Amino acid sequence: MSKIYIFDTTLRDGEQVPGCQLTTVEKIEVAKELELLGVDIIEAGFPISSPGDFQSVVEISKAVSAPTICALTRAVQGDIDCAVQALQYAKHKRIHTGIGASDFHILHKFNSTREKILERGVEAVKYAKKFVEDIEFYAEDAGRADNAFLAQMIEAVIAAGATVVNIPDTNGYCLPDQYGAKIKYLMDNVKNIDKAIISVHCHNDLGLATANSIAGVINGARQIECTINGIGERAGNTSLEEVAMVLKTHKSLGHHTDINSKKIYALSGMVSRLMRMPVQPNKAIVGKNAFAHSSGIHQDGVLKHRENYEIINPDDVGVFESSIILTARSGRAAIKHRLEKLGYNLETINIDEFYERFLVFADEKKDNVNDQDLVMLMGGTDDNISSKGIKVTLVQVVCGEPLRPMATVKLKINEVEHEASASGNGPVDAAIKAIDEILNKKIKIEEFVIQAITGGSNDVSKVNMQVNYNSQLYYGFGISTDIVVASVNAYIDAVNKVI
Ligand code: KIV
Ligand code: ZN
């Protein structure tokens, strides 16, 4: 098994997306998580581009020690000087310099010639090498470059000191076999190629970034440049989670990465939240539906044996379990599974009769049937589920500007009333903290969704909550015209299933 280096550029190429800019503190948070994820190189920014980017490279270099910290430059001495400064605190540092390699870029971007561009590339590498040992050279738009010229350029920059050569498909143009053949051509025609690592950097304009990166690896590349959730300019970059899981799933390729895949899902959520960039529901590996099954045949198959319809164990990427989405296409197996999760005793339910009612409702709703709908169909309220559980007898909050929100909650547990007060960053947070004080259990909210029903200010809120206790997920929901009460009810509903 040979190792494939994972070069994460979420904080550079990923962060170039308009509207996705992070503060330095947020970048440090992401960088620390990338370190825990096990990436080998973090491209922390393009220091000459702005004082903020410069500062981020400085601070990430201080905060993170295991991965190599990389800074991007153009083939310009001022850029390189700036990158050297920004990397001064990095334990392991790399400068990533380069220039256009396609005739298109040479002519229409640089208004130059192949010879002059090659010379500039070589000069940049030689200059950067005076300060930093680890130099990566990028041949921009290599995807559309002439292979013979590209090989000449790569040979020259390796001779000048480049330790890694990046062959970007900058415009996401190549087909997998073309890109793979390009890497093979370099492996076969660059005399000193054994002195450097070939890196693949693919964009996703045709949805081929992952396929192209893997084609590159199959043909000799040893480093993949990628981003969390595949974020990046236009259609994005190669997504880290996809290439990591392709290599893990297809062991026959003979490669491995140091990625701790169990951390993927949480980091995907963090990047999505911080960058305000939602993950598309059908996104491979990290999309909300990546492990969700909605048709009756698939649900039944998954419940019988997960691998009937899942090639990746959700647990391997940090997703606790596959989800069974209830729709009009769901079968009895899925409904029984869900009712059981909600705490119902199946022995007391006529499933056939319930299923008929479920189908009529699901057809009318034309959307997923959620837990609250099931409870309603069961003809009850939350009390039906856990009549012996904890009861909320009082919720009182004080909030508003400039007060720190405070909540007092009373719970009846085994007929004994308990009371606690707490403050929080909002009234819901304060109320949940007060409950936690009474319960004294390590319960973590994983998902918290508030939905309005009619849209007016007198609306009824539905709260769906997912909590984690001892690595098991429990669902709860609550409904009220008071958003805090609905949230408290949802939390207690989930807690009742825990206990
Ligand atoms: O896509 C690209 O060519 C790049 C280079 C700057 C490495 O991001
Ligand atoms: Zn790029």
Side-chain angles (χ1 to χ4, degrees):
M1 283 275 189
S2 62
K3 168 159 167 163
I4 298 298
Y5 293 90
I6 295 294
F7 175 114
D8 181 275
T9 184
T10 305
L11 298 174
R12 198 279 297 171
D13 222 348
E15 214 241 355
Q16 278 175 213
V17 180
C20 284
Q21 275 64 44
L22 300 180
T23 63
T24 299
V25 172
E26 289 169 333
K27 286 188 190 174
I28 293 170
E29 271 181 62
V30 173
K32 284 183 166 170
E33 291 302 319
L34 287 169
E35 179 174 37
L36 294 174
L37 182 71
V39 306
D40 300 288
I41 302 106
I42 295 177
E43 189 165 44
F46 181 11
I48 194 83
S49 69
S50 72
D53 242 41
F54 179 90
Q55 202 50 34
S56 297
V57 176
V58 171
E59 297 304 331
I60 291 170
S61 300
K62 290 180 189 165
V64 161
S65 59
T68 295
I69 305 300
C70 178
L72 185 79
T73 80
R74 293 166 296 180
V76 171
Q77 288 197 357
D79 285 26
I80 296 169
D81 291 337
C82 185
V84 171
Q85 278 296 309
L87 287 170
Q88 61 186 300
Y89 299 105
K91 193 158 169 218
H92 313 284
K93 52 187 89 172
R94 177 181 295 180
I95 288 184
H96 190 189
T97 191
I99 199 158
S102 68
D103 288 332
F104 207 93
H105 274 216
I106 291 171
L107 196 61
H108 300 295
K109 187 170 157 184
F110 296 102
N111 191 20
S112 188
T113 62
R114 286 184 176 186
E115 294 67 33
K116 284 186 187 146
I117 287 294
L118 194 150
E119 204 180 305
R120 271 185 67 180
V122 166
E123 286 313 312
V125 171
K126 281 190 182 159
Y127 186 70
K129 195 78 179 178
K130 289 186 188 163
F131 310 101
V132 174
E133 175 48 36
D134 188 358
I135 306 296
E136 176 166 338
F137 177 83
Y138 64 85
E140 197 179 6
D141 202 18
R144 292 190 297 174
D146 171 62
N147 283 351
F149 173 65
L150 185 62
Q152 199 189 339
M153 185 180 226
I154 295 303
E155 194 167 311
V157 295
I158 294 175
T163 42
V164 180
V165 284
N166 178 9
I167 313 300
D169 185 19
T170 304
N171 293 295
Y173 168 76
C174 290
L175 294 170
D177 65 331
Q178 287 173 336
Y179 190 71
K182 192 174 280 286
I183 302 299
K184 181 159 177 9
Y185 183 89
L186 297 176
M187 291 292 286
D188 294 344
N189 292 283
V190 173
K191 280 195 226 73
N192 52 4
I193 199 69
D194 59 316
K195 305 266 181 319
I197 288 174
I198 296 187
S199 182
V200 292
H201 178 117
C202 299
H203 280 264
N204 204 30
D205 299 65
L206 292 172
L208 294 170
T210 296
N212 284 346
S213 299
I214 298 298
V217 164
I218 290 171
N219 285 283
R222 289 294 166 266
Q223 176 178 287
I224 302 179
E225 308 200 359
C226 45
T227 60
I228 299 289
N229 299 337
I231 59 164
E233 293 217 52
R234 308 184 310 276
N237 287 62
T238 302
S239 91
L240 184 151
E241 59 278 7
E242 290 176 15
V243 287
M245 291 316 289
V246 168
L247 297 178
K248 192 173 167 125
T249 307
H250 288 275
K251 298 233 165 28
S252 59
L253 291 175
H255 302 298
H256 73 93
T257 70
D258 284 349
I259 294 297
N260 175 358
S261 62
K262 286 191 189 289
K263 295 206 164 284
I264 285 178
Y265 191 66
L267 185 48
S268 155
M270 177 180 178
V271 167
S272 162
R273 266 192 314 281
L274 290 176
M275 292 200 165
R276 294 165 293 279
M277 180 85 152
V279 176
Q280 77 191 54
N282 59 331
K283 166 82 181 63
I285 320 291
V286 291
K288 172 161 96 37
N289 294 348
F291 300 100
H293 307 276
S294 68
S295 85
I297 295 174
H298 285 206
Q299 290 178 338
D300 187 47
V302 166
L303 291 171
K304 282 183 176 138
H305 196 303
R306 190 188 59 71
E307 283 175 42
N308 278 327
Y309 289 101
E310 276 176 5
I311 56 158
I312 296 170
N313 186 340
D315 204 43
D316 276 355
V317 293
V319 174
F320 286 107
E321 58 174 24
S322 358
S323 57
I324 300 286
I325 306 283
L326 297 184
T327 66
R329 293 181 310 283
S330 299
R332 286 173 179 72
I335 289 161
K336 278 160 72 177
H337 173 77
R338 194 87 205 133
L339 288 174
E340 226 167 6
K341 284 245 158 198
L342 284 171
Y344 285 102
N345 178 358
L346 293 184
E347 283 169 19
T348 64
I349 298 169
N350 178 342
I351 282 292
D352 289 335
E353 186 268 334
F354 181 77
Y355 187 55
E356 292 307 311
R357 279 192 290 132
F358 167 86
L359 286 183
V360 173
F361 178 83
D363 261 339
E364 268 172 19
K365 188 170 179 191
K366 293 186 177 43
D367 195 356
N368 296 345
V369 177
N370 58 30
D371 291 350
Q372 190 201 342
D373 298 327
L374 282 184
V375 172
M376 186 268 294
L377 280 171
M378 286 299 293
T381 62
D382 298 6
D383 289 352
N384 289 49
I385 304 174
S386 41
S387 53
K388 293 209 177 71
I390 299 169
K391 293 249 175 328
V392 183
T393 54
L394 176 107
V395 179
Q396 206 166 53
V397 291
V398 184
C399 59
E401 287 290 354
L403 295 172
R404 168 114 177 124
M406 282 288 301
T408 301
V409 174
K410 280 190 191 171
L411 302 180
K412 202 179 236 179
I413 309 174
N414 295 332
E415 298 310 312
V416 180
E417 199 151 62
H418 301 258
E419 176 176 336
S421 299
S423 63
N425 67 5
V428 173
D429 185 44
I432 301 291
K433 286 199 168 118
I435 296 173
D436 285 344
E437 211 169 297
I438 299 174
L439 299 176
N440 195 22
K441 280 194 191 305
K442 277 209 162 75
I443 297 174
K444 183 166 173 264
I445 297 179
E446 296 284 353
E447 206 174 304
F448 177 27
V449 181
I450 305 178
Q451 274 175 301
I453 293 178
T454 60
S457 60
N458 60 349
D459 204 346
V460 175
S461 319
K462 290 200 294 182
V463 173
N464 282 283
M465 219 179 253
Q466 199 181 49
V467 304
N468 184 337
Y469 179 68
N470 273 348
S471 299
Q472 286 284 330
L473 288 183
Y474 300 87
Y475 302 85
F477 56 81
I479 184 161
S480 172
T481 46
D482 183 318
I483 217 161
V484 183
V485 173
S487 308
V488 163
N489 286 345
Y491 191 59
I492 290 297
D493 184 31
V495 168
N496 274 331
K497 286 158 201 162
V498 170
I499 59 170

